[in-house]
Amino acid sequence: MNKGIFILILLLIFLPAAYAKPVFYEANEDALSVCQGEMLTASYFLKNDGNSQREYLIRVEGDNLEWISVAPNSLKLLPGESNEVFVFITPEIYAAEGDYSFELIAQDANDAEEEAIQEIEINVKNCHKFSLSVEEEISGCVNEEIESSIYVKNDGKYLDNVKLEISIDGTEKSESYNFEMKPEEKKEIKIRFTPSEIKNYTIKYSLTVEGLEQYKEEAETNLVSKACPGVEMALDEMPESLCIGKEYELLFKIKNTGTIEDVFTISSDFLSFSEDKIELSPNEEDEIRAIIIPELSSQKVIIKIESENGVSEEKSFLINAESCCNTSLISPPEEIKVCKGELSQIDLRFSIFNGGAPANYTIKSQDSWLYPQESNLYLEHNEEKEFFARLRIPDEPGSYRTIITASADKCEDKAHVSLKVEECYEFDTELDAPRTACGCSEEKLELDLENEGEVGDSYIVSLIKPDFAIIGAFPLEAGQKITIPIPLNISCDKSEENILIKVTSQSNPSLSVVINKTIKIEPCYGIEVSVPKELDFCAEEERDIELSIKNTGTREDSLKITPLCPPWVDAEAEEIIIEPDETKTLRYKAKAPNAVDKEAFCSFKVESTETGDIKISSVILKVLPLEECYCFNIDLDKEEVSFKNTNKTNQIVELMVTNCGRSREEYSVEVSGDLRKYVDIAPSRMELKPGDSEPFHIAISKPLEGESGHVELSVTEKNSRKKDSLKLTIE
């Protein structure tokens, strides 16, 4: 064989073994799972697949390396030799649960490119576990405190700080608790809530663990708040002895034992109450009076109480009465029912029994609509006789009760007759109309119409006043109710509107109702506008024009103000809102032109955007003549003052100047003449407001000997150039 070929074959056989990479072998294939804060140990075998001894450096790469340590961190392996490598993984106590990946790397110490990589997959379990135990649903009474408990248990392995937040949807109720819990510890927390309305609430619980942001336990409880009506009734006192047929008054006490305000209806077959309805607040107690007429010697009386909120209760007590005389009058046992208009009269059969000595009985009726056909009956001992009484049917529907009496000597008995006249075609109607309305407006009335009869009917609704109109025909089934809108135009010139609406049954035209309502008409909108009749100005003088607006109506109004004024008035159109009975004052600046004896008009148009009503008020603006605007006085009554040439060094004269004009003015004093050098003036210039006065002081120095002459003082007003002079003579 060729020597070169043989060497090549040997290289192909042995070269791969000499440069083979190290290999990891897993010690086990079980999934790696660990709790936070606990140590997980994983082992792998590293094998040298090469043909020479190698040293390997061992490390781990990946995130969260602070969790991991490896041992040993280096190995020397002979060819084919393997050794175990341990990896210790301890996730931090609040590590997020989930899957994490690392790489275990064995690198040849002499050849960095020769390395083995083992993927390590671990699952970090959340061992911070808490459970919330709550009631799925609780219920209680409105306006009463409801208590519920929540139980928190630490099912985890660690001592944790937790925060429990509790809230109730739709309320401001919110509570927060922070506490520490050991493993297996269980804590009870009570929540108390007083519902203010009848509804379903949701209590929400949320628990979080400090340091473990991603972990949360939540639970809910449905809280049902319901009405809890209740009532108690007690008989205050019973008369010691009762006679059959005699009338007695009983006093009952009724107490609302519920948690809400309620209206109670009281009824009884044998009692007539002073009022059949009573309204009571929670825990409120009231008295009600009842009339009873015993009909039997032993009689059970049942009182039924029903509330608008659903509570119903019956109270019963036994009435023991005696026949104070041995007479018995028997009437028809049941209530007599007739339809209105069906019959005009009925004959009723009565029976009277006399258990005492023979007697002549007088028969009387309490009401004229029931009258006996016989007024006197004679009965022997233990005799029973029948007699008839004619019952006239009243024209108006309703329930009627009356008494027929049989009396002889001191014995008397009464029989009760109950009659109910029913309206087979019956309806109820009510008109909803405002008490007040604005003039010249449109209102919508609402007519509630309900068929309270036993059969369907149709109803004609007519507007009689203020203007006749047929609103329409409205068919209704028995028990059906509708609301009918009725438009109404309110008069502009009346103080009130009288409304008449008629509702008539088509099945029974004699059955009709007329509703009368009066609406007071108010001046809802009105304004008063005023400005001064006249304002006068001096040339170039500034003054304010005041526009006063008062809302004399009863409703808010929006006003558009349009000034119609000369250009030297600073006024522009604007809109304002003004409340009822409010007065607003608007000011407009005006600067008069540099002219005299001029007159102009300034008008203001004020328009209501609600009604379109317009008010206009005007002021005359006058620019005064010059002499009416500027004026000053010097309070000396001499035109010349003389000074003797004495030895006095200084002589002083005071000159008082008054501004009698309309505006602030500046005044100056000038000196002229031969001896002006001997005259000093202080001040030589001053400014005065209208009505103010101030003095000029004039000092005369001693002139040289032999000199004499005069000096002329001139006081000048700056704007008008008006001048006044005074002559001073020095001798």
Side-chain angles (χ1 to χ4, degrees):
M1 180 181 295
N2 187 290
K3 184 178 180 180
I5 295 174
F6 179 73
I7 293 171
L8 178 61
I9 292 172
L10 289 176
L11 290 171
L12 292 173
I13 294 172
F14 295 105
L15 188 60
Y19 293 93
K21 295 181 179 180
V23 177
F24 274 115
Y25 296 96
E26 292 188 32
N28 56 67
E29 296 182 355
D30 294 339
L32 301 180
S33 181
V34 65
C35 291
Q36 305 110 314
E38 293 186 351
M39 186 175 74
L40 169 70
T41 303
S43 64
Y44 303 88
F45 286 94
L46 177 65
K47 182 180 180 183
N48 181 1
D49 276 355
N51 57 4
S52 62
Q53 179 175 310
R54 300 278 180 160
E55 181 180 3
Y56 299 102
L57 303 176
I58 302 170
R59 70 182 189 277
V60 177
E61 290 187 356
D63 296 331
N64 304 301
L65 292 179
E66 67 274 12
W67 300 356
I68 300 175
S69 62
V70 62
N73 55 17
S74 66
L75 280 176
K76 288 183 180 181
L77 298 177
L78 296 173
E81 184 182 5
S82 62
N83 202 349
E84 192 169 11
V85 177
F86 293 92
V87 179
F88 305 97
I89 305 171
T90 307
E92 66 176 7
I93 191 69
Y94 294 113
E97 63 178 322
D99 295 326
Y100 296 83
S101 298
F102 306 95
E103 289 183 346
L104 178 63
I105 301 173
Q107 189 178 55
D108 194 317
N110 298 315
D111 187 354
E113 294 184 0
E114 295 297 327
E115 63 180 19
I117 300 175
Q118 172 65 45
E119 293 286 340
I120 302 175
E121 298 283 343
I122 70 165
N123 176 258
V124 177
K125 299 182 294 182
N126 179 31
C127 294
H128 301 269
K129 292 288 186 180
F130 288 84
S131 59
L132 300 178
S133 299
V134 302
E135 299 178 79
E136 290 186 6
E137 182 172 293
I138 58 176
S139 63
C141 301
V142 66
N143 297 324
E144 280 192 349
E145 185 178 76
I146 301 173
E147 182 179 278
S148 177
S149 292
I150 176 172
Y151 296 91
V152 183
K153 184 181 178 185
N154 186 348
D155 297 320
K157 298 183 176 183
Y158 309 109
L159 174 69
D160 276 321
N161 291 317
V162 298
K163 181 178 182 180
L164 178 64
E165 293 179 311
I166 304 173
S167 63
I168 302 179
D169 278 358
T171 72
E172 296 181 356
K173 178 78 171 176
S174 178
E175 296 179 358
S176 179
Y177 302 89
N178 294 277
F179 46 86
E180 184 181 77
M181 292 193 73
K182 302 174 184 177
E184 297 302 317
E185 183 181 356
K186 189 174 183 180
K187 185 181 289 290
E188 179 187 12
I189 296 173
K190 292 185 179 293
I191 179 171
R192 295 175 175 84
F193 174 62
T194 303
S196 59
E197 55 183 319
I198 300 171
K199 63 179 287 188
N200 287 359
Y201 299 85
T202 300
I203 307 176
K204 294 187 176 182
Y205 311 90
S206 175
L207 183 140
T208 55
V209 178
E210 183 181 335
L212 199 64
E213 296 180 357
Q214 72 278 12
Y215 180 74
K216 181 184 285 188
E217 290 289 341
E218 295 180 322
E220 289 186 356
T221 295
N222 184 32
L223 188 153
V224 179
S225 170
K226 56 189 178 182
C228 295
V231 64
E232 289 180 355
M233 186 180 74
L235 177 62
D236 190 36
E237 187 178 354
M238 175 69 74
E240 292 183 2
S241 62
L242 301 177
C243 291
I244 297 174
K246 187 177 179 181
E247 183 179 288
Y248 297 91
E249 183 181 86
L250 304 179
L251 184 64
F252 294 89
K253 289 183 178 179
I254 299 176
K255 182 178 181 180
N256 180 0
T257 60
T259 62
I260 54 175
E261 186 177 90
D262 213 341
V263 177
F264 301 94
T265 301
I266 304 101
S267 61
S268 175
D269 291 339
F270 300 104
L271 299 178
S272 57
F273 295 95
S274 57
E275 49 186 321
D276 58 0
K277 283 189 178 181
I278 185 170
E279 183 175 349
L280 297 175
S281 300
N283 293 319
E284 185 182 1
E285 185 179 72
D286 203 354
E287 292 182 340
I288 188 169
R289 298 182 182 276
I291 300 298
I292 184 169
I293 302 174
E295 298 177 357
L296 303 171
S297 60
S298 180
Q299 188 171 350
K300 184 178 181 181
V301 177
I302 298 175
I303 301 175
K304 188 173 183 181
I305 306 174
E306 295 179 318
S307 82
E308 289 186 354
N309 287 299
V311 68
S312 177
E313 188 172 347
E314 286 188 353
K315 296 286 183 180
S316 63
F317 59 93
L318 190 64
I319 296 293
N320 292 315
E322 60 182 11
S323 179
C324 298
C325 63
N326 195 8
T327 300
S328 176
L329 180 62
I330 302 173
S331 64
E334 296 180 355
E335 183 179 54
I336 303 165
K337 296 182 179 180
V338 295
C339 285
K340 176 186 174 182
E342 184 179 17
L343 298 171
S344 61
Q345 61 186 28
I346 300 174
D347 288 335
L348 302 181
R349 185 193 301 268
F350 292 84
S351 175
I352 183 170
F353 171 76
N354 177 25
N360 190 29
Y361 285 88
T362 301
I363 312 299
K364 291 183 180 180
S365 173
Q366 186 181 46
D367 295 283
S368 61
W369 49 273
L370 177 67
Y371 62 97
Q373 293 181 354
E374 298 178 71
S375 59
N376 292 285
L377 282 177
Y378 178 80
L379 277 79
E380 297 287 344
H381 173 64
N382 287 338
E383 183 182 4
E384 181 178 0
K385 281 187 178 179
E386 291 183 345
F387 65 90
F388 289 88
R390 182 153 293 172
L391 176 66
R392 293 176 179 171
I393 308 301
D395 294 333
E396 295 299 322
S399 294
Y400 299 86
R401 286 177 64 89
T402 191
I403 297 172
I404 192 166
T405 306
S407 59
D409 297 331
K410 296 182 180 180
C411 291
E412 181 179 277
D413 197 14
K414 297 179 180 179
H416 293 267
V417 178
S418 296
L419 170 67
K420 186 174 183 179
V421 181
E422 296 181 334
E423 179 63 81
C424 298
Y425 295 98
E426 187 175 359
F427 68 90
D428 183 39
T429 184
E430 185 175 349
L431 180 64
D432 184 11
R435 293 183 178 180
T436 61
C438 297
C440 299
S441 65
E442 182 175 305
E443 292 286 341
K444 186 175 75 172
L445 312 183
E446 291 186 343
L447 181 72
D448 292 331
L449 179 61
E450 182 178 7
N451 183 353
E452 294 184 342
E454 299 179 358
V455 294
D457 199 354
S458 185
Y459 305 93
I460 302 296
V461 179
S462 304
L463 178 65
I464 308 301
K465 283 186 177 183
D467 298 307
F468 181 80
I470 301 295
I471 305 301
F474 301 92
L476 295 178
E477 297 297 328
Q480 187 179 358
K481 182 178 180 179
I482 61 170
T483 299
I484 304 167
I486 301 177
L488 181 70
N489 291 322
I490 303 299
S491 173
C492 298
D493 53 2
K494 293 181 181 178
S495 61
E496 61 181 25
E497 195 74 84
N498 190 19
I499 301 166
L500 285 180
I501 294 176
K502 184 177 182 180
V503 182
T504 304
S505 165
Q506 281 192 310
S507 300
N508 183 7
S510 64
L511 182 62
S512 65
V513 172
V514 175
I515 302 172
N516 187 355
K517 292 276 186 177
T518 299
I519 298 176
K520 185 179 179 181
I521 301 176
E522 294 184 342
C524 297
Y525 298 98
I527 53 173
E528 291 179 355
V529 179
S530 64
V531 292
K533 292 183 178 180
E534 184 177 295
L535 284 178
D536 52 11
F537 294 77
C538 290
E540 297 187 346
E541 181 183 8
E542 287 189 3
R543 293 191 68 181
D544 285 344
I545 302 175
E546 292 188 352
L547 172 65
S548 177
I549 303 173
K550 180 177 181 181
N551 184 351
T552 59
T554 60
R555 294 192 181 180
E556 177 186 271
D557 204 350
S558 175
L559 305 178
K560 183 178 180 181
I561 302 168
T562 305
L564 305 170
C565 300
W568 45 277
V569 177
D570 184 11
E572 295 182 356
E574 59 181 310
E575 285 193 19
I576 63 170
I577 302 294
I578 187 165
E579 300 293 332
D581 204 37
E582 181 184 6
T583 300
K584 285 192 174 182
T585 301
L586 306 179
R587 291 176 174 83
Y588 301 93
K589 293 246 178 237
K591 183 175 181 181
N594 191 5
V596 296
D597 288 340
K598 186 170 183 178
E599 188 173 285
F601 283 88
C602 184
S603 300
F604 296 90
K605 183 175 77 170
V606 181
E607 180 179 1
S608 167
T609 59
E610 298 291 340
T611 64
D613 187 26
I614 295 175
K615 301 286 186 180
I616 297 177
S617 188
S618 301
V619 57
I620 300 173
L621 307 179
K622 289 185 176 182
V623 182
L624 299 174
L626 191 64
E627 59 271 13
E628 294 185 28
C629 292
Y630 302 101
C631 166
F632 74 92
N633 295 322
I634 301 174
D635 61 347
L636 281 179
D637 54 359
K638 299 179 180 179
E639 294 182 358
E640 184 174 341
V641 177
S642 297
F643 295 91
K644 297 293 184 179
N645 191 358
T646 65
N647 291 327
K648 291 184 180 180
T649 303
N650 287 303
Q651 302 176 57
I652 297 175
V653 175
E654 186 178 87
L655 181 66
M656 185 68 69
V657 178
T658 301
N659 182 355
C660 54
R662 291 170 52 95
S663 59
R664 181 187 291 269
E665 287 298 325
E666 186 177 312
Y667 303 92
S668 62
V669 182
E670 296 177 354
V671 182
S672 61
D674 297 336
L675 302 181
R676 61 181 179 275
K677 61 183 178 180
Y678 298 110
V679 179
D680 290 323
I681 299 172
S684 63
R685 189 178 301 275
M686 66 174 63
E687 186 174 334
L688 298 178
K689 295 187 294 185
D692 282 359
S693 299
E694 284 193 19
F696 287 107
H697 292 93
I698 304 168
I700 309 298
S701 301
K702 181 179 179 182
L704 296 176
E705 189 173 344
E707 289 189 65
S708 63
H710 71 275
V711 179
E712 186 174 272
L713 301 178
S714 298
V715 182
T716 305
E717 186 180 48
K718 180 180 177 182
N719 286 329
S720 66
R721 301 305 178 187
K722 183 177 180 183
K723 181 183 291 188
D724 204 352
S725 298
L726 176 68
K727 184 181 291 187
L728 302 179
T729 302
I730 303 173
E731 298 177 351

